[in-house]
């Protein structure tokens, strides 16, 4: 088991229970209606593309236990993602993200991306479709058959606690994603390792300009991360749940 993160794909009865729970959620139903207005589809003809649960250290004394599930409609032309998490700090968060492709006025392949804030749908992108609806990259997701949600909490005060609290994707540490990680900070810094790391670096620079905790910075990070959730699904889950409060 990687000491910073462990997890497993959600299967069987738990997958069915999570599916039914999310489908009954009013924000899920609101998002389905919004996507159908862009490009009609049968919401009953749905495929679960990915369901995953994991633990990850996000601070020196904080472990997040998260899960996410991704619904796909109309042969992958629309998706809805649900994230939920708790931690050993007794906090809880959840979020929804919806994507739908459509044909633009010039016959180009376009995509709209939506989230929900305070019970209301917000459109965060309307752009050329550049693969944001492609299959999720699961190569960095650990699938431990013995994984138990919350298991890493027991290691919070272990003597072998990881020296860095930068986020991790597979075996790679981010250089700008995570508390204390980035240029001029305790950990990380330097050239970002991927597109999501660039989002985090921009977030750090935004905090420098507008102040720590500035909502315009946090919302910009969420919007940036939404473009890469299919490439870095677990890492985006952490970002969704850490900053979806403004």
């Amino acid at each position: 088991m990687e000491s910073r993160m462990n997890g497993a794909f959600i299967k069987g009865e738990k997958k069915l229970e999570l599916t039914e729970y999310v489908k009954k959620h009013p924000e899920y139903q609101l998002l389905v209606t919004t996507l159908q207005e862009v490009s009609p589809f049968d919401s009953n003809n749905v495929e679960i593309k990915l369901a995953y649960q994991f633990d990850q250290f996000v601070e020196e004394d904080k472990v997040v236990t998260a899960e996410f599930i991704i619904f796909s409609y109309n042969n992958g032309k629309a998706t809805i993602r649900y994230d939920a998490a708790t931690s050993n700090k007794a906090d809880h968060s959840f979020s929804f993200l919806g994507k739908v492709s459509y044909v633009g006025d010039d016959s180009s392949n376009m995509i709209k991306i939506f989230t929900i804030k305070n019970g209301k749908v917000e459109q965060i992108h309307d752009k050329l479709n550049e693969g944001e609806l492609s299959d999720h990259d699961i190569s960095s997701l650990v699938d431990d058959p013995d994984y138990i949600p919350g298991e890493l909490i027991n290691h919070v005060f272990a003597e072998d606690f990881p020296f860095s609290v930068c986020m991790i994707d597979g075996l790679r540490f981010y250089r700008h994603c995570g508390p204390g990680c980035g240029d001029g900070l305790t950990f990380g810094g330097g050239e970002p390792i991927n597109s999501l790391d660039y989002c985090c670096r921009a977030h750090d620079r935004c905090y420098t300009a507008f102040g720590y905790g500035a909502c315009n910075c946090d919302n910009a990070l969420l919007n940036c991360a939404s473009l890469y959730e299919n490439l870095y699904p677990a890492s985006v889950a952490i970002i969704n749940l850490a900053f979806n409060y403004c």
Side-chain angles (χ1 to χ4, degrees):
M1 182 190 76
E2 219 295 320
S3 61
R4 286 295 314 280
M5 176 181 176
N6 198 28
F9 295 104
I10 301 174
K11 304 172 184 176
E13 189 64 28
K14 179 174 174 56
K15 183 177 178 180
L16 292 174
E17 291 176 356
L18 179 60
T19 299
E20 291 307 309
Y21 170 79
V22 175
K23 290 172 71 174
K24 292 177 182 178
H25 199 290
E27 293 193 0
Y28 168 88
Q29 296 168 8
L30 182 59
L31 206 47
V32 166
T33 300
T34 300
L35 300 184
Q36 288 174 324
E37 290 172 351
V38 178
S39 182
F41 59 87
D42 180 4
S43 62
N44 293 315
N45 186 12
V46 58
E47 178 185 2
I48 305 302
K49 297 294 289 186
L50 179 60
Y52 190 70
Q53 56 188 347
F54 66 98
D55 283 19
Q56 186 171 150
F57 282 103
V58 295
E59 295 179 26
E60 290 185 357
D61 61 348
K62 183 176 182 178
V63 172
V64 163
T65 300
E67 63 184 9
F68 61 87
I69 185 169
I70 297 162
F71 300 79
S72 176
Y73 314 88
N74 197 17
N75 295 318
K77 294 181 179 179
T79 62
I80 290 178
R81 172 177 175 140
Y82 168 81
D83 291 87
T86 58
S87 80
N88 59 316
K89 298 293 186 178
D91 49 359
H92 174 78
S93 181
F94 73 90
S95 66
F96 281 92
L97 185 74
K99 303 179 183 180
V100 61
S101 63
Y102 71 99
V103 179
D105 293 337
D106 59 352
S107 299
S108 56
N109 184 14
M110 304 291 291
I111 186 171
K112 289 188 177 184
I113 303 179
F114 302 86
T115 189
I116 296 183
K117 293 279 191 179
N118 301 316
K120 296 182 179 180
V121 176
E122 291 187 8
Q123 179 180 297
I124 56 177
H125 294 290
D126 185 0
K127 61 182 292 292
L128 190 68
N129 188 344
E130 298 177 291
E132 290 86 358
L133 282 166
S134 60
D135 288 342
H136 287 74
D137 184 353
I138 62 173
S139 60
S140 65
L141 301 182
V142 180
D143 189 20
D144 181 354
D146 298 320
Y147 166 73
I148 301 173
E151 65 178 32
L152 289 191
I153 293 173
N154 295 328
H155 299 280
V156 167
F157 299 109
E159 292 182 2
D160 61 346
F161 179 81
F163 67 90
S164 170
V165 290
C166 294
M167 279 173 43
I168 190 170
D169 187 83
L171 297 177
R172 300 182 304 167
F173 283 98
Y174 284 86
R175 295 175 178 171
H176 300 272
C177 297
C181 294
D183 294 331
L185 301 177
T186 306
F187 307 112
E191 186 70 15
I193 67 168
N194 57 32
S195 299
L196 187 60
D197 214 17
Y198 275 102
C199 296
C200 293
R201 186 175 70 173
H203 182 246
D204 290 343
R205 292 175 175 179
C206 188
Y207 271 5
T208 299
F210 294 98
Y212 183 86
C215 280
N216 62 312
C217 301
D218 293 345
N219 287 333
L221 174 59
L222 291 170
N223 295 352
C224 186
S226 71
L227 297 172
Y228 308 111
E229 66 87 20
N230 59 322
L231 298 177
Y232 317 109
S235 298
V236 170
I238 295 294
I239 290 174
N240 285 346
L241 298 160
F243 295 100
N244 188 37
Y245 57 81
C246 287

